[in-house]
Amino acid sequence: MVIDKVGYEHLIQFLTEQLDLFTTQGPADASGKSIGALLEEHIAEQIITLCTQHQELEMNHRALIIREIDGIMYDFQEILASVLDNTATPQQVELINEIALLIKNLFDNAIAELFD
């Protein structure tokens, strides 16, 4: 659905280009949560929003989305393995939110293509 698309490759490239931001330490975000926990939360929130907005999705589509999200999380955990347990800074939280929105956008586009 999205993992095999060019947009996903660009997202992975974008994430790898931002690794410096994840390796720099700074003041902790007010939430006090780890990078890994925030990544999971923000992506989950966007996928819940996605499924709510696209009521036309059948169960098999939703299952495919969940499988792809598992794959995306695996890729992200591989890339960010050394920093997942670090407490996030406000800048990292902002980037995580941006990445989650980009993931939702990839799925929005895939769903639009699916029903065209």
Side-chain angles (χ1 to χ4, degrees), residues 73-102:
M73 286 305 300
Y74 178 82
D75 289 346
F76 282 25
Q77 288 170 345
E78 287 290 309
I79 294 168
L80 299 171
S82 65
V83 298
L84 285 175
D85 294 328
N86 294 353
T87 303
T89 67
Q91 294 83 7
Q92 292 164 344
V93 173
E94 188 177 317
L95 182 60
I96 289 168
N97 188 53
E98 184 177 345
I99 288 169
L101 289 168
L102 290 170

PDB file of all heavy atoms in Angstrom, residues 73-102:
ATOM      1  N   MET A  73       7.077   0.848  11.687  1.00  0.00           N
ATOM      2  CA  MET A  73       7.640   0.948  13.034  1.00  0.00           C
ATOM      3  C   MET A  73       8.932   0.145  13.135  1.00  0.00           C
ATOM      4  O   MET A  73       9.895   0.591  13.753  1.00  0.00           O
ATOM      5  CB  MET A  73       6.632   0.477  14.086  1.00  0.00           C
ATOM      6  CG  MET A  73       5.508   1.463  14.335  1.00  0.00           C
ATOM      7  SD  MET A  73       6.064   3.125  14.786  1.00  0.00           S
ATOM      8  CE  MET A  73       6.988   2.800  16.274  1.00  0.00           C
ATOM      9  N   TYR A  74       8.972  -1.017  12.504  1.00  0.00           N
ATOM     10  CA  TYR A  74      10.201  -1.818  12.509  1.00  0.00           C
ATOM     11  C   TYR A  74      11.335  -1.041  11.848  1.00  0.00           C
ATOM     12  O   TYR A  74      12.438  -0.965  12.399  1.00  0.00           O
ATOM     13  CB  TYR A  74       9.963  -3.158  11.797  1.00  0.00           C
ATOM     14  CG  TYR A  74      11.210  -3.989  11.724  1.00  0.00           C
ATOM     15  CD1 TYR A  74      11.605  -4.765  12.810  1.00  0.00           C
ATOM     16  CD2 TYR A  74      12.017  -3.989  10.588  1.00  0.00           C
ATOM     17  CE1 TYR A  74      12.769  -5.525  12.765  1.00  0.00           C
ATOM     18  CE2 TYR A  74      13.174  -4.735  10.536  1.00  0.00           C
ATOM     19  CZ  TYR A  74      13.546  -5.496  11.622  1.00  0.00           C
ATOM     20  OH  TYR A  74      14.712  -6.241  11.575  1.00  0.00           O
ATOM     21  N   ASP A  75      11.065  -0.459  10.684  1.00  0.00           N
ATOM     22  CA  ASP A  75      12.095   0.316   9.986  1.00  0.00           C
ATOM     23  C   ASP A  75      12.577   1.482  10.837  1.00  0.00           C
ATOM     24  O   ASP A  75      13.781   1.718  10.962  1.00  0.00           O
ATOM     25  CB  ASP A  75      11.554   0.857   8.653  1.00  0.00           C
ATOM     26  CG  ASP A  75      11.349  -0.223   7.606  1.00  0.00           C
ATOM     27  OD1 ASP A  75      11.857  -1.353   7.784  1.00  0.00           O
ATOM     28  OD2 ASP A  75      10.653   0.064   6.604  1.00  0.00           O
ATOM     29  N   PHE A  76      11.647   2.204  11.438  1.00  0.00           N
ATOM     30  CA  PHE A  76      12.008   3.358  12.257  1.00  0.00           C
ATOM     31  C   PHE A  76      12.798   2.931  13.491  1.00  0.00           C
ATOM     32  O   PHE A  76      13.738   3.603  13.901  1.00  0.00           O
ATOM     33  CB  PHE A  76      10.766   4.139  12.667  1.00  0.00           C
ATOM     34  CG  PHE A  76      10.215   5.022  11.570  1.00  0.00           C
ATOM     35  CD1 PHE A  76      10.442   4.758  10.229  1.00  0.00           C
ATOM     36  CD2 PHE A  76       9.449   6.117  11.882  1.00  0.00           C
ATOM     37  CE1 PHE A  76       9.941   5.562   9.240  1.00  0.00           C
ATOM     38  CE2 PHE A  76       8.933   6.941  10.898  1.00  0.00           C
ATOM     39  CZ  PHE A  76       9.180   6.665   9.574  1.00  0.00           C
ATOM     40  N   GLN A  77      12.398   1.816  14.089  1.00  0.00           N
ATOM     41  CA  GLN A  77      13.119   1.326  15.262  1.00  0.00           C
ATOM     42  C   GLN A  77      14.537   0.897  14.899  1.00  0.00           C
ATOM     43  O   GLN A  77      15.453   1.065  15.696  1.00  0.00           O
ATOM     44  CB  GLN A  77      12.346   0.189  15.926  1.00  0.00           C
ATOM     45  CG  GLN A  77      11.103   0.693  16.633  1.00  0.00           C
ATOM     46  CD  GLN A  77      10.184  -0.418  17.092  1.00  0.00           C
ATOM     47  OE1 GLN A  77      10.301  -1.562  16.674  1.00  0.00           O
ATOM     48  NE2 GLN A  77       9.229  -0.069  17.943  1.00  0.00           N
ATOM     49  N   GLU A  78      14.711   0.376  13.711  1.00  0.00           N
ATOM     50  CA  GLU A  78      16.053   0.016  13.245  1.00  0.00           C
ATOM     51  C   GLU A  78      16.911   1.269  13.057  1.00  0.00           C
ATOM     52  O   GLU A  78      18.063   1.306  13.465  1.00  0.00           O
ATOM     53  CB  GLU A  78      15.972  -0.761  11.925  1.00  0.00           C
ATOM     54  CG  GLU A  78      15.471  -2.173  12.062  1.00  0.00           C
ATOM     55  CD  GLU A  78      16.470  -3.068  12.771  1.00  0.00           C
ATOM     56  OE1 GLU A  78      17.644  -3.094  12.382  1.00  0.00           O
ATOM     57  OE2 GLU A  78      16.045  -3.744  13.734  1.00  0.00           O
ATOM     58  N   ILE A  79      16.341   2.273  12.442  1.00  0.00           N
ATOM     59  CA  ILE A  79      17.081   3.499  12.167  1.00  0.00           C
ATOM     60  C   ILE A  79      17.418   4.238  13.460  1.00  0.00           C
ATOM     61  O   ILE A  79      18.517   4.763  13.625  1.00  0.00           O
ATOM     62  CB  ILE A  79      16.278   4.419  11.214  1.00  0.00           C
ATOM     63  CG1 ILE A  79      16.143   3.750   9.839  1.00  0.00           C
ATOM     64  CG2 ILE A  79      16.935   5.795  11.086  1.00  0.00           C
ATOM     65  CD1 ILE A  79      15.133   4.418   8.925  1.00  0.00           C
ATOM     66  N   LEU A  80      16.477   4.259  14.393  1.00  0.00           N
ATOM     67  CA  LEU A  80      16.632   5.042  15.623  1.00  0.00           C
ATOM     68  C   LEU A  80      16.985   4.190  16.845  1.00  0.00           C
ATOM     69  O   LEU A  80      16.859   4.652  17.981  1.00  0.00           O
ATOM     70  CB  LEU A  80      15.333   5.819  15.910  1.00  0.00           C
ATOM     71  CG  LEU A  80      14.919   6.831  14.839  1.00  0.00           C
ATOM     72  CD1 LEU A  80      13.534   7.373  15.126  1.00  0.00           C
ATOM     73  CD2 LEU A  80      15.927   7.963  14.752  1.00  0.00           C
ATOM     74  N   ALA A  81      17.450   2.974  16.614  1.00  0.00           N
ATOM     75  CA  ALA A  81      17.675   2.022  17.706  1.00  0.00           C
ATOM     76  C   ALA A  81      18.505   2.590  18.851  1.00  0.00           C
ATOM     77  O   ALA A  81      18.199   2.355  20.025  1.00  0.00           O
ATOM     78  CB  ALA A  81      18.334   0.752  17.173  1.00  0.00           C
ATOM     79  N   SER A  82      19.514   3.340  18.538  1.00  0.00           N
ATOM     80  CA  SER A  82      20.420   3.823  19.587  1.00  0.00           C
ATOM     81  C   SER A  82      19.844   4.959  20.420  1.00  0.00           C
ATOM     82  O   SER A  82      20.399   5.305  21.462  1.00  0.00           O
ATOM     83  CB  SER A  82      21.751   4.266  18.969  1.00  0.00           C
ATOM     84  OG  SER A  82      21.547   5.380  18.128  1.00  0.00           O
ATOM     85  N   VAL A  83      18.720   5.536  19.994  1.00  0.00           N
ATOM     86  CA  VAL A  83      18.170   6.679  20.720  1.00  0.00           C
ATOM     87  C   VAL A  83      16.728   6.491  21.187  1.00  0.00           C
ATOM     88  O   VAL A  83      16.160   7.384  21.812  1.00  0.00           O
ATOM     89  CB  VAL A  83      18.264   7.972  19.870  1.00  0.00           C
ATOM     90  CG1 VAL A  83      19.711   8.319  19.559  1.00  0.00           C
ATOM     91  CG2 VAL A  83      17.437   7.867  18.599  1.00  0.00           C
ATOM     92  N   LEU A  84      16.124   5.354  20.913  1.00  0.00           N
ATOM     93  CA  LEU A  84      14.709   5.151  21.224  1.00  0.00           C
ATOM     94  C   LEU A  84      14.366   5.367  22.689  1.00  0.00           C
ATOM     95  O   LEU A  84      13.270   5.848  23.011  1.00  0.00           O
ATOM     96  CB  LEU A  84      14.257   3.751  20.798  1.00  0.00           C
ATOM     97  CG  LEU A  84      14.066   3.536  19.304  1.00  0.00           C
ATOM     98  CD1 LEU A  84      13.736   2.079  19.018  1.00  0.00           C
ATOM     99  CD2 LEU A  84      12.988   4.453  18.757  1.00  0.00           C
ATOM    100  N   ASP A  85      15.273   5.012  23.585  1.00  0.00           N
ATOM    101  CA  ASP A  85      14.994   5.131  25.019  1.00  0.00           C
ATOM    102  C   ASP A  85      15.336   6.506  25.586  1.00  0.00           C
ATOM    103  O   ASP A  85      15.040   6.781  26.754  1.00  0.00           O
ATOM    104  CB  ASP A  85      15.752   4.054  25.793  1.00  0.00           C
ATOM    105  CG  ASP A  85      15.238   2.661  25.460  1.00  0.00           C
ATOM    106  OD1 ASP A  85      14.030   2.526  25.177  1.00  0.00           O
ATOM    107  OD2 ASP A  85      16.047   1.712  25.481  1.00  0.00           O
ATOM    108  N   ASN A  86      15.944   7.364  24.785  1.00  0.00           N
ATOM    109  CA  ASN A  86      16.281   8.716  25.248  1.00  0.00           C
ATOM    110  C   ASN A  86      15.019   9.550  25.414  1.00  0.00           C
ATOM    111  O   ASN A  86      14.076   9.445  24.626  1.00  0.00           O
ATOM    112  CB  ASN A  86      17.195   9.434  24.248  1.00  0.00           C
ATOM    113  CG  ASN A  86      18.553   8.794  24.127  1.00  0.00           C
ATOM    114  OD1 ASN A  86      18.900   7.879  24.863  1.00  0.00           O
ATOM    115  ND2 ASN A  86      19.339   9.282  23.185  1.00  0.00           N
ATOM    116  N   THR A  87      15.027  10.387  26.429  1.00  0.00           N
ATOM    117  CA  THR A  87      13.924  11.329  26.615  1.00  0.00           C
ATOM    118  C   THR A  87      13.979  12.350  25.485  1.00  0.00           C
ATOM    119  O   THR A  87      15.028  12.892  25.167  1.00  0.00           O
ATOM    120  CB  THR A  87      14.037  12.035  27.978  1.00  0.00           C
ATOM    121  OG1 THR A  87      14.073  11.031  29.003  1.00  0.00           O
ATOM    122  CG2 THR A  87      12.858  12.948  28.222  1.00  0.00           C
ATOM    123  N   ALA A  88      12.826  12.594  24.878  1.00  0.00           N
ATOM    124  CA  ALA A  88      12.749  13.482  23.719  1.00  0.00           C
ATOM    125  C   ALA A  88      12.864  14.948  24.117  1.00  0.00           C
ATOM    126  O   ALA A  88      12.414  15.350  25.188  1.00  0.00           O
ATOM    127  CB  ALA A  88      11.433  13.255  22.984  1.00  0.00           C
ATOM    128  N   THR A  89      13.473  15.709  23.233  1.00  0.00           N
ATOM    129  CA  THR A  89      13.534  17.160  23.375  1.00  0.00           C
ATOM    130  C   THR A  89      12.331  17.748  22.629  1.00  0.00           C
ATOM    131  O   THR A  89      11.711  17.067  21.799  1.00  0.00           O
ATOM    132  CB  THR A  89      14.834  17.732  22.769  1.00  0.00           C
ATOM    133  OG1 THR A  89      14.805  17.536  21.343  1.00  0.00           O
ATOM    134  CG2 THR A  89      16.072  17.079  23.363  1.00  0.00           C
ATOM    135  N   PRO A  90      11.999  19.013  22.874  1.00  0.00           N
ATOM    136  CA  PRO A  90      10.883  19.629  22.137  1.00  0.00           C
ATOM    137  C   PRO A  90      11.070  19.583  20.612  1.00  0.00           C
ATOM    138  O   PRO A  90      10.108  19.352  19.872  1.00  0.00           O
ATOM    139  CB  PRO A  90      10.866  21.076  22.652  1.00  0.00           C
ATOM    140  CG  PRO A  90      11.446  20.984  24.026  1.00  0.00           C
ATOM    141  CD  PRO A  90      12.505  19.904  23.929  1.00  0.00           C
ATOM    142  N   GLN A  91      12.295  19.768  20.141  1.00  0.00           N
ATOM    143  CA  GLN A  91      12.558  19.712  18.696  1.00  0.00           C
ATOM    144  C   GLN A  91      12.321  18.301  18.152  1.00  0.00           C
ATOM    145  O   GLN A  91      11.820  18.133  17.042  1.00  0.00           O
ATOM    146  CB  GLN A  91      13.995  20.161  18.388  1.00  0.00           C
ATOM    147  CG  GLN A  91      14.268  21.606  18.702  1.00  0.00           C
ATOM    148  CD  GLN A  91      14.614  21.839  20.182  1.00  0.00           C
ATOM    149  OE1 GLN A  91      14.785  20.904  20.974  1.00  0.00           O
ATOM    150  NE2 GLN A  91      14.687  23.097  20.567  1.00  0.00           N
ATOM    151  N   GLN A  92      12.702  17.288  18.921  1.00  0.00           N
ATOM    152  CA  GLN A  92      12.480  15.915  18.497  1.00  0.00           C
ATOM    153  C   GLN A  92      10.989  15.592  18.463  1.00  0.00           C
ATOM    154  O   GLN A  92      10.522  14.913  17.552  1.00  0.00           O
ATOM    155  CB  GLN A  92      13.233  14.952  19.418  1.00  0.00           C
ATOM    156  CG  GLN A  92      14.736  15.066  19.275  1.00  0.00           C
ATOM    157  CD  GLN A  92      15.497  14.413  20.413  1.00  0.00           C
ATOM    158  OE1 GLN A  92      14.953  14.110  21.475  1.00  0.00           O
ATOM    159  NE2 GLN A  92      16.800  14.208  20.213  1.00  0.00           N
ATOM    160  N   VAL A  93      10.250  16.087  19.443  1.00  0.00           N
ATOM    161  CA  VAL A  93       8.794  15.882  19.469  1.00  0.00           C
ATOM    162  C   VAL A  93       8.160  16.506  18.233  1.00  0.00           C
ATOM    163  O   VAL A  93       7.295  15.907  17.596  1.00  0.00           O
ATOM    164  CB  VAL A  93       8.166  16.460  20.760  1.00  0.00           C
ATOM    165  CG1 VAL A  93       6.650  16.407  20.707  1.00  0.00           C
ATOM    166  CG2 VAL A  93       8.684  15.731  21.987  1.00  0.00           C
ATOM    167  N   GLU A  94       8.613  17.688  17.880  1.00  0.00           N
ATOM    168  CA  GLU A  94       8.095  18.363  16.693  1.00  0.00           C
ATOM    169  C   GLU A  94       8.375  17.550  15.432  1.00  0.00           C
ATOM    170  O   GLU A  94       7.502  17.386  14.576  1.00  0.00           O
ATOM    171  CB  GLU A  94       8.733  19.749  16.581  1.00  0.00           C
ATOM    172  CG  GLU A  94       8.143  20.619  15.501  1.00  0.00           C
ATOM    173  CD  GLU A  94       8.758  22.012  15.494  1.00  0.00           C
ATOM    174  OE1 GLU A  94       8.948  22.584  16.578  1.00  0.00           O
ATOM    175  OE2 GLU A  94       9.043  22.504  14.390  1.00  0.00           O
ATOM    176  N   LEU A  95       9.574  17.015  15.315  1.00  0.00           N
ATOM    177  CA  LEU A  95       9.917  16.202  14.151  1.00  0.00           C
ATOM    178  C   LEU A  95       9.124  14.900  14.136  1.00  0.00           C
ATOM    179  O   LEU A  95       8.654  14.468  13.081  1.00  0.00           O
ATOM    180  CB  LEU A  95      11.422  15.911  14.117  1.00  0.00           C
ATOM    181  CG  LEU A  95      11.892  15.101  12.913  1.00  0.00           C
ATOM    182  CD1 LEU A  95      11.589  15.827  11.597  1.00  0.00           C
ATOM    183  CD2 LEU A  95      13.375  14.807  13.015  1.00  0.00           C
ATOM    184  N   ILE A  96       8.952  14.279  15.281  1.00  0.00           N
ATOM    185  CA  ILE A  96       8.161  13.048  15.364  1.00  0.00           C
ATOM    186  C   ILE A  96       6.732  13.318  14.909  1.00  0.00           C
ATOM    187  O   ILE A  96       6.148  12.527  14.158  1.00  0.00           O
ATOM    188  CB  ILE A  96       8.203  12.472  16.793  1.00  0.00           C
ATOM    189  CG1 ILE A  96       9.596  11.894  17.074  1.00  0.00           C
ATOM    190  CG2 ILE A  96       7.114  11.422  17.001  1.00  0.00           C
ATOM    191  CD1 ILE A  96       9.861  11.563  18.535  1.00  0.00           C
ATOM    192  N   ASN A  97       6.175  14.432  15.334  1.00  0.00           N
ATOM    193  CA  ASN A  97       4.818  14.788  14.906  1.00  0.00           C
ATOM    194  C   ASN A  97       4.762  14.988  13.394  1.00  0.00           C
ATOM    195  O   ASN A  97       3.831  14.523  12.735  1.00  0.00           O
ATOM    196  CB  ASN A  97       4.340  16.042  15.633  1.00  0.00           C
ATOM    197  CG  ASN A  97       2.889  16.319  15.373  1.00  0.00           C
ATOM    198  OD1 ASN A  97       2.042  15.445  15.557  1.00  0.00           O
ATOM    199  ND2 ASN A  97       2.588  17.521  14.937  1.00  0.00           N
ATOM    200  N   GLU A  98       5.762  15.655  12.843  1.00  0.00           N
ATOM    201  CA  GLU A  98       5.822  15.866  11.398  1.00  0.00           C
ATOM    202  C   GLU A  98       5.912  14.539  10.651  1.00  0.00           C
ATOM    203  O   GLU A  98       5.226  14.330   9.645  1.00  0.00           O
ATOM    204  CB  GLU A  98       7.021  16.754  11.048  1.00  0.00           C
ATOM    205  CG  GLU A  98       7.118  17.099   9.582  1.00  0.00           C
ATOM    206  CD  GLU A  98       8.277  18.031   9.261  1.00  0.00           C
ATOM    207  OE1 GLU A  98       8.841  18.642  10.185  1.00  0.00           O
ATOM    208  OE2 GLU A  98       8.624  18.126   8.072  1.00  0.00           O
ATOM    209  N   ILE A  99       6.713  13.631  11.146  1.00  0.00           N
ATOM    210  CA  ILE A  99       6.859  12.316  10.518  1.00  0.00           C
ATOM    211  C   ILE A  99       5.535  11.552  10.566  1.00  0.00           C
ATOM    212  O   ILE A  99       5.123  10.939   9.573  1.00  0.00           O
ATOM    213  CB  ILE A  99       7.998  11.525  11.192  1.00  0.00           C
ATOM    214  CG1 ILE A  99       9.348  12.134  10.801  1.00  0.00           C
ATOM    215  CG2 ILE A  99       7.937  10.047  10.827  1.00  0.00           C
ATOM    216  CD1 ILE A  99      10.523  11.623  11.602  1.00  0.00           C
ATOM    217  N   ALA A 100       4.851  11.613  11.704  1.00  0.00           N
ATOM    218  CA  ALA A 100       3.558  10.929  11.825  1.00  0.00           C
ATOM    219  C   ALA A 100       2.545  11.502  10.827  1.00  0.00           C
ATOM    220  O   ALA A 100       1.779  10.747  10.204  1.00  0.00           O
ATOM    221  CB  ALA A 100       3.039  11.041  13.256  1.00  0.00           C
ATOM    222  N   LEU A 101       2.554  12.811  10.659  1.00  0.00           N
ATOM    223  CA  LEU A 101       1.661  13.438   9.683  1.00  0.00           C
ATOM    224  C   LEU A 101       2.018  13.027   8.254  1.00  0.00           C
ATOM    225  O   LEU A 101       1.128  12.816   7.424  1.00  0.00           O
ATOM    226  CB  LEU A 101       1.712  14.958   9.832  1.00  0.00           C
ATOM    227  CG  LEU A 101       1.059  15.520  11.098  1.00  0.00           C
ATOM    228  CD1 LEU A 101       1.422  16.992  11.274  1.00  0.00           C
ATOM    229  CD2 LEU A 101      -0.446  15.329  11.065  1.00  0.00           C
ATOM    230  N   LEU A 102       3.306  12.904   7.972  1.00  0.00           N
ATOM    231  CA  LEU A 102       3.734  12.455   6.641  1.00  0.00           C
ATOM    232  C   LEU A 102       3.295  11.017   6.379  1.00  0.00           C
ATOM    233  O   LEU A 102       2.880  10.676   5.265  1.00  0.00           O
ATOM    234  CB  LEU A 102       5.247  12.589   6.495  1.00  0.00           C
ATOM    235  CG  LEU A 102       5.778  14.019   6.409  1.00  0.00           C
ATOM    236  CD1 LEU A 102       7.304  14.035   6.514  1.00  0.00           C
ATOM    237  CD2 LEU A 102       5.320  14.686   5.123  1.00  0.00           C
TER     238      LEU A 102
END
